[in-house]
Coordinates of all heavy atoms in Angstrom, one line a residue:
T41 N -25.3 16.7 -7.8 CA -26.3 17.5 -8.5 C -25.6 18.1 -9.8 O -24.4 18.3 -9.8 CB -26.8 18.7 -7.7 OG1 -25.7 19.5 -7.2 CG2 -27.6 18.2 -6.5
A42 N -26.4 18.3 -10.8 CA -25.9 18.7 -12.1 C -26.9 19.7 -12.7 O -28.1 19.6 -12.4 CB -25.8 17.6 -13.1
V43 N -26.4 20.7 -13.4 CA -27.2 21.7 -14.1 C -26.7 21.8 -15.5 O -25.4 21.9 -15.7 CB -27.1 23.1 -13.4 CG1 -27.9 24.1 -14.2 CG2 -27.6 23.0 -12.0
A44 N -27.6 21.8 -16.5 CA -27.2 22.0 -17.9 C -28.3 22.8 -18.5 O -29.5 22.4 -18.5 CB -27.0 20.7 -18.6
A83 N -23.3 18.9 -18.5 CA -22.8 19.9 -17.5 C -21.3 20.1 -17.6 O -20.6 19.2 -17.9 CB -23.2 19.4 -16.1
D84 N -20.9 21.4 -17.2 CA -19.5 21.7 -17.1 C -19.0 21.4 -15.8 O -17.7 21.3 -15.6 CB -19.3 23.2 -17.4 CG -19.7 23.6 -18.9 OD1 -19.4 22.7 -19.8 OD2 -20.2 24.7 -19.1
C85 N -19.8 21.4 -14.7 CA -19.4 21.1 -13.4 C -20.5 20.4 -12.7 O -21.7 20.4 -13.0 CB -19.0 22.4 -12.6 SG -20.1 23.7 -12.7
L86 N -20.1 19.7 -11.6 CA -21.1 18.9 -10.8 C -20.8 19.3 -9.3 O -19.7 19.7 -8.9 CB -20.9 17.4 -10.9 CG -21.0 16.8 -12.3 CD1 -20.7 15.3 -12.3 CD2 -22.4 17.1 -12.9
A87 N -21.8 19.2 -8.5 CA -21.7 19.4 -7.0 C -21.8 18.1 -6.3 O -22.7 17.3 -6.7 CB -22.7 20.4 -6.5
V88 N -20.9 17.8 -5.4 CA -20.9 16.5 -4.6 C -21.2 16.9 -3.2 O -20.5 17.7 -2.6 CB -19.6 15.8 -4.8 CG1 -19.6 14.5 -4.0 CG2 -19.3 15.6 -6.3
H89 N -22.2 16.2 -2.6 CA -22.6 16.5 -1.2 C -22.5 15.3 -0.3 O -23.0 14.3 -0.7 CB -24.1 17.0 -1.2 CG -24.4 18.1 -2.2 ND1 -24.6 17.8 -3.5 CD2 -24.6 19.4 -2.0 CE1 -24.8 19.0 -4.1 NE2 -24.8 19.9 -3.2
K119 N -28.9 26.6 -3.1 CA -28.4 27.8 -3.7 C -27.6 27.5 -4.9 O -27.1 26.4 -5.1 CB -27.7 28.6 -2.6 CG -26.3 28.0 -2.3 CD -25.6 28.9 -1.3 CE -24.2 28.3 -1.1 NZ -23.3 29.2 -0.3
Q120 N -27.3 28.6 -5.7 CA -26.4 28.5 -6.8 C -25.0 28.7 -6.3 O -24.8 29.6 -5.5 CB -26.8 29.4 -7.9 CG -28.0 29.0 -8.7 CD -28.1 29.8 -10.0 OE1 -27.9 31.0 -10.0 NE2 -28.4 29.1 -11.1
A121 N -24.1 28.0 -6.9 CA -22.7 28.1 -6.6 C -21.9 28.2 -7.9 O -22.5 28.5 -8.9 CB -22.2 26.9 -5.7
Y122 N -20.6 27.9 -7.8 CA -19.7 28.1 -9.0 C -20.4 27.5 -10.3 O -20.9 26.4 -10.3 CB -18.4 27.4 -8.7 CG -17.4 27.4 -9.8 CD1 -16.5 28.5 -9.9 CD2 -17.4 26.5 -10.8 CE1 -15.6 28.6 -10.9 CE2 -16.5 26.6 -11.9 CZ -15.6 27.6 -11.9 OH -14.7 27.7 -12.9
G123 N -20.3 28.3 -11.3 CA -20.7 27.9 -12.6 C -22.2 27.6 -12.7 O -22.7 26.9 -13.7
G124 N -23.0 28.1 -11.8 CA -24.5 27.9 -11.8 C -24.8 26.5 -11.2 O -26.0 26.1 -11.3
S125 N -23.9 25.9 -10.5 CA -24.2 24.6 -9.9 C -25.2 24.8 -8.8 O -25.4 25.8 -8.2 CB -22.9 24.0 -9.2 OG -21.9 23.8 -10.1
V126 N -26.0 23.7 -8.5 CA -26.9 23.6 -7.4 C -26.3 23.0 -6.2 O -25.8 21.8 -6.3 CB -28.2 22.9 -7.9 CG1 -29.1 22.7 -6.7 CG2 -28.9 23.6 -9.0
V127 N -26.3 23.7 -5.1 CA -25.7 23.2 -3.9 C -26.8 23.0 -2.8 O -27.6 24.0 -2.6 CB -24.6 24.1 -3.4 CG1 -24.1 23.7 -2.0 CG2 -23.4 24.1 -4.3
L128 N -26.9 21.9 -2.2 CA -27.8 21.6 -1.1 C -27.3 22.3 0.2 O -26.2 21.9 0.7 CB -28.0 20.1 -0.9 CG -28.4 19.3 -2.1 CD1 -28.5 17.8 -1.8 CD2 -29.7 19.9 -2.7
W134 N -19.8 19.9 1.1 CA -20.0 19.8 -0.4 C -18.8 20.5 -1.1 O -18.1 21.2 -0.5 CB -21.3 20.5 -0.8 CG -21.4 22.0 -0.5 CD1 -22.1 22.5 0.6 CD2 -20.9 23.1 -1.2 NE1 -22.0 23.8 0.6 CE2 -21.3 24.2 -0.5 CE3 -20.2 23.2 -2.4 CZ2 -21.0 25.5 -0.9 CZ3 -19.9 24.5 -2.8 CH2 -20.3 25.6 -2.1
F135 N -18.7 20.1 -2.4 CA -17.8 20.8 -3.2 C -18.3 20.8 -4.6 O -19.1 19.9 -5.0 CB -16.3 20.1 -3.2 CG -16.2 18.9 -4.1 CD1 -15.8 19.0 -5.4 CD2 -16.3 17.7 -3.5 CE1 -15.6 17.9 -6.2 CE2 -16.1 16.5 -4.3 CZ -15.8 16.6 -5.6
V136 N -17.9 21.8 -5.4 CA -18.3 21.9 -6.8 C -17.0 21.6 -7.6 O -15.9 22.1 -7.2 CB -18.8 23.2 -7.2 CG1 -19.0 23.4 -8.7 CG2 -20.1 23.5 -6.5
G137 N -17.0 20.7 -8.6 CA -15.9 20.4 -9.4 C -16.2 20.6 -10.8 O -17.3 20.2 -11.3
T138 N -15.2 21.1 -11.6 CA -15.3 21.1 -13.0 C -15.1 19.7 -13.6 O -14.2 19.0 -13.1 CB -14.3 22.1 -13.7 OG1 -13.0 21.8 -13.3 CG2 -14.6 23.5 -13.2
V139 N -15.8 19.4 -14.6 CA -15.7 18.0 -15.2 C -14.4 18.0 -16.1 O -14.4 18.8 -17.1 CB -16.9 17.6 -16.0 CG1 -16.7 16.3 -16.7 CG2 -18.2 17.7 -15.1
E140 N -13.4 17.3 -15.7 CA -12.2 17.2 -16.4 C -12.2 16.1 -17.5 O -11.5 16.2 -18.5 CB -11.0 17.0 -15.5 CG -10.8 18.1 -14.5 CD -10.5 19.4 -15.1 OE1 -9.8 19.4 -16.1 OE2 -10.9 20.4 -14.6
L153 N -13.6 15.0 -11.5 CA -13.8 16.4 -11.1 C -12.6 17.0 -10.5 O -11.9 16.4 -9.8 CB -15.0 16.5 -10.1 CG -16.3 15.8 -10.5 CD1 -17.3 15.8 -9.4 CD2 -16.9 16.4 -11.8
S154 N -12.4 18.3 -10.8 CA -11.4 19.1 -10.2 C -12.1 20.1 -9.3 O -12.8 21.0 -9.8 CB -10.6 19.9 -11.3 OG -9.7 20.7 -10.7
P155 N -12.0 20.0 -8.0 CA -12.7 20.9 -7.0 C -12.3 22.3 -7.2 O -11.1 22.7 -7.3 CB -12.3 20.4 -5.7 CG -11.8 19.0 -5.9 CD -11.2 19.0 -7.3
V156 N -13.3 23.2 -7.2 CA -13.1 24.7 -7.4 C -13.8 25.5 -6.3 O -13.4 26.6 -6.0 CB -13.6 25.2 -8.7 CG1 -12.7 24.6 -9.9 CG2 -15.0 24.9 -9.0
E157 N -14.7 24.9 -5.6 CA -15.4 25.6 -4.5 C -15.9 24.5 -3.5 O -16.4 23.4 -3.9 CB -16.6 26.4 -5.0 CG -17.3 27.2 -3.9 CD -18.5 28.0 -4.4 OE1 -18.8 27.9 -5.6 OE2 -19.1 28.8 -3.6
W158 N -15.8 24.8 -2.2 CA -16.3 23.8 -1.2 C -16.7 24.5 0.1 O -16.3 25.6 0.4 CB -15.2 22.8 -0.9 CG -13.8 23.4 -0.7 CD1 -13.3 23.8 0.5 CD2 -12.9 23.8 -1.7 NE1 -12.1 24.4 0.3 CE2 -11.8 24.4 -1.0 CE3 -12.8 23.6 -3.1 CZ2 -10.6 24.8 -1.7 CZ3 -11.7 24.1 -3.7 CH2 -10.6 24.7 -3.0
R159 N -17.4 23.7 0.9 CA -17.8 24.1 2.3 C -18.0 22.9 3.2 O -18.4 21.9 2.7 CB -19.2 24.9 2.3 CG -19.2 26.2 1.5 CD -18.4 27.3 2.2 NE -18.5 28.5 1.5 CZ -17.7 28.9 0.5 NH1 -16.8 28.1 0.1 NH2 -17.8 30.0 -0.1

Side-chain angles (χ1 to χ4, degrees):
T41 58
V43 175
D84 295 325
C85 49
L86 302 177
V88 179
H89 308 79
K119 68 176 186 173
Q120 283 194 317
Y122 181 89
S125 297
V126 172
V127 171
L128 305 179
W134 59 264
F135 80 88
V136 174
T138 57
V139 178
E140 299 297 325
L153 307 175
S154 176
V156 293
E157 183 181 5
W158 49 88
R159 296 287 182 276

